[in-house]
Amino acid sequence: MMHRIFASTSQVLLAAGEEGSQATEGGYGTLVPGITSGPLVEWAWLIIVVPLIAAFVIAFWGKKLPMQGWEVAWGSMGFVAIYGTVLFVVNATTGIVYEGAVEIAKIGDFTLEWGWMVDGLSIMMYFLIGVVGFLVFTYAKSYMKDDVRYTWFFVSFSLFAGGMLVLVAAPNLIQLIVGWELVGVASYLLIAHYWEDYANVDAGNKAFMVNKIADIGLFLGVIIMAVSVGSFRFSDIIDVVVRGEEGMLSQYAFWAGLLIFIGAMGKSAQFPFHVWLPDAMAGPTPVSALMHAATMVTAGVYLLGRLFPFYLDVDGLFAGDVRNIIVVVGGVTLLLSGFLAIVQNDIKKVLAYSTVSQLGYMVAAMGAGAYTAGLFHLFTHAFFKALLFLGAGAVIHAVHSNNMSDMGGLRKKMPITFWTFIIGTLALIGIFPFAGFFSKDEILASVRYAGGSGQDAANFILVLGIAGAFITALYMTRVVALTFFGKYRGHAEPHEAPRMMTYPLIGLAFFAAVAGWINVPGVYTGFTTWLATRDPLTGMGDHHPESFDWLLVFIVTLVVLAAVAIGWWLYGRDADTRAERDTFRIPVLWPLFENLYYIDEFYMRGIVRPTMGPIARVVLWWDMHVVDGVVNLVGLGSVGLAKSVRSFDQNVVDGIFNEAGAVIGGAGSILRRSFTGRIQQYAAFSFVGVVIIVVVSIIL
Amino acid sequence: MTIIQFILVGSALFALGIYGVITRRNAVLVLASVELMLAGVNVNLVAFNVYLQDPILSGQIFVLFIIGLAAAEVAIGIAIILMIFRNRQSADVADLNLMKG
Amino acid sequence: MPALMESVAIADWFREAANWVFLLIALPTVFGAWRTVSSNNIVRAVLYLVVALAGTAAMFLILGAAFIGLTVVLVYIGAVIILFLIGIMITRAPLGVEAKLSHGREARLSAALLSFILFAVIMWAVADAFGMSKIQPFEPTATADIANLLFDRFLIPFEVVSLVLLAALIGGIVLARRDDIGRDEPGGEG
């Protein structure tokens, strides 16, 4: 039996002697302490700090180092990998629950803390980030070899690793947001890594903006939650939930839960915030593998896991209702993005939509109240999706093109890449005995269980999940067929990747093959207990199947095999000719898929431009009327300004009926006349503003 | 002593400072006028600090911070004026119209 | 604050000796400020700034804030004014009477109007709120108290200000340094 105590037994609380009172409350089972102190966990903050220091060192001295700073980044990730593995193993054998904290500032009742969680959930993420990160960094050395900003790439990449570790180590919501934004910035920098091409800059901006919009939800949710609990610490929040305390948190739980989930939707690219992730493939392939497949995009799922008892809501007081929304969002996302993956020609975009789809599975699992299933899929997905991305990167490296129409027949030329890619594919589509089989099956079983135990939305999502498995198998068969079978259609001379690139592939393939065996229902369910941050007997209070749901296993395997067969029939039989025609076209749906459901277009035409237009008009009106009025009042008005008032009157009448873009253009040319370039005039305006504000506030 | 007499002097300095900021053409004198405005604010802060008998002396300590920042501001301001003078052979604010639209 | 709102009649105000001292300081202060913004001689304008700032320092002394007053003398009159004079010297401003120190008459009038309105608004607001209310007798502020607060309660802002000063120091050097290497400056003076 694994040993656990409450996640909330931080050093502080232990010292205060409150551990006993908390451990017995809540009715979550008997608690036996594992490792709760000692140098292993007390020095775990090094995991977070080392990559950040590495980023700093590379930024300042990287170019002077013999390997251009790569060795520092690689060494820091190696350190994280080793420390993460040690923690993972110790956690699996003894059990670790620890929460370290350093007080940074105290403002009234509010304490700002920087801390590091060392519990099942965090350790899993340390292990994942360390091992996958290490392999990807190894791969990146030779993949990025001729890059113009080689050193800068590793600065941003190490910054990302540090930010991600800050995020997963966070014992409070403030630190979580710091990490959340750090990875957001790193993501922006790395997506726009090739900024000479304006499209890449656009992709970076898009990722940043979409995430920012979702982050508004996160911020509001965090504020509501922190105000109602009176603390930013996860342990305090979870304690309120576990005690089933009625109060402010239970009153606002729905909104807090929903808003925080909106934040998670942005980072984890859930419908309708998924639009940024496919565009994010503009970044270098190692970035796509580590950030936009394995770790960063799972931050939303991680956050749901961190707040899991709040969402699971056994007492029916908290955010249980939000789970219906979560499960539907996850289900819709997994299906819709799966369809989009079928029609992409860019191999990385296929994998990107596939990632969105798999994230949909994880979110749906969380929504169905299946903590272990969701995080288990996160765990296995990180390995096989990173593997697929790195494999795709090796292919791209060989054929100098992202498009599958330039590939084909690479099976013989790149055998290692081919076989590892096949392992990744089998893991992704869920063929026994590869990793994805176990995790996806557990998700579907949990969704089925949730549907059977009163969550009606889950029944519907179960169907979507099985359909998603079909689609996953279909598009992956297409990718394999078009890339590795048939005739070579490209122009470059393909060759097997160098060893620095194939070794990481082999390493990830190993994990993709075996990672599923750590959680086999009815045989060995170690992962469930390793992951629990609170209770060794019931885990997180979620349901665990006693054995395989054989009916479901049968159906899903059948569906997947059928999909592979259909996919092979469509794309594999004579791949060289089929690929060019891409015959699998459904009349009505196909344009829909190819235009990505017109969502991006809707965002541009329906939201971005209509809001930009009126805002421009309001700004225009304000500048012209108010600023000009002020000018006249003060007597500094010049002939040019008087003219601009006249021309404004002419222009605004037309402008209202003009297209928004024309207004913005026109606004610039009118506005420029009020910008005389005379600083003192501006100063005078601002003083007039002061007078107006003072007078108004006195009168009111 | 009344509070208003100090406020009178303080706001007189502030208003004269504004006048100087708007009318002076020489950049160094614009900076001097800004210092005048800050001096007015300082008088105001200290006077109210004494009037309200603040136990933590926030008014006076704030003035110390203002003095420190004003010193930094002048140093940077003069350095910038120097740069501009080197590039354009003039310290006249009216010549600095690069921001003109 | 009923105790604080004790008012003084204007006639009584003139009977108090301290107020004559105040007037002795305030009038030169305002005069100095006026000449600072109106003088046509740039060096004189800066020297009048000394008068105005010395006036504020004296006013701090009346208010018992000796430390602040002396800081103003040291920092402003001692250092900042020197900076101004060096700035004037280096920018080769005309040292004699020069009509172009200020903008034209129209701009001056409107600026005067604006600053007067601001002054009137402030005085109106303050007179409305405080009237002729008296400053209660007070002890001069001990420098030790300021020191204790500065290094305890206000430690973080204090450190931040010191960082800003450091940044300004470095920034000043970087900006003012001549970077002649590899660049031809035909117009630069010797």
Side-chain angles (χ1 to χ4, degrees), chain A residues 636 672-673 675-684 687, chain B residues 18 21-25 30 37 93 96-97 99-101:
Chain A
L636 285 176
R672 61 193 292 261
R673 292 194 198 158
F675 290 95
T676 54
R678 284 167 67 181
I679 307 157
Q680 285 159 313
Q681 215 165 9
Y682 299 160
F687 289 130
Chain B
I18 287 179
V21 166
I22 298 176
T23 57
R24 285 305 200 182
R25 298 186 65 154
V30 172
M37 288 170 67
V93 186
L96 306 179
N97 56 358
M99 267 162 60
K100 182 169 166 51

Side-chain angles (χ1 to χ4, degrees), chain A residues 50-92:
Chain A
V50 165
L52 289 174
I53 292 176
F56 187 81
V57 169
I58 303 166
F60 283 92
W61 298 284
K63 290 220 162 137
K64 296 191 180 119
L65 294 170
M67 286 168 170
Q68 306 268 294
W70 170 81
E71 67 270 61
V72 180
W74 187 73
S76 74
M77 283 319 283
F79 172 80
V80 175
I82 291 166
Y83 209 137
T85 310
V86 168
L87 283 173
F88 194 77
V89 170
V90 173
N91 182 46

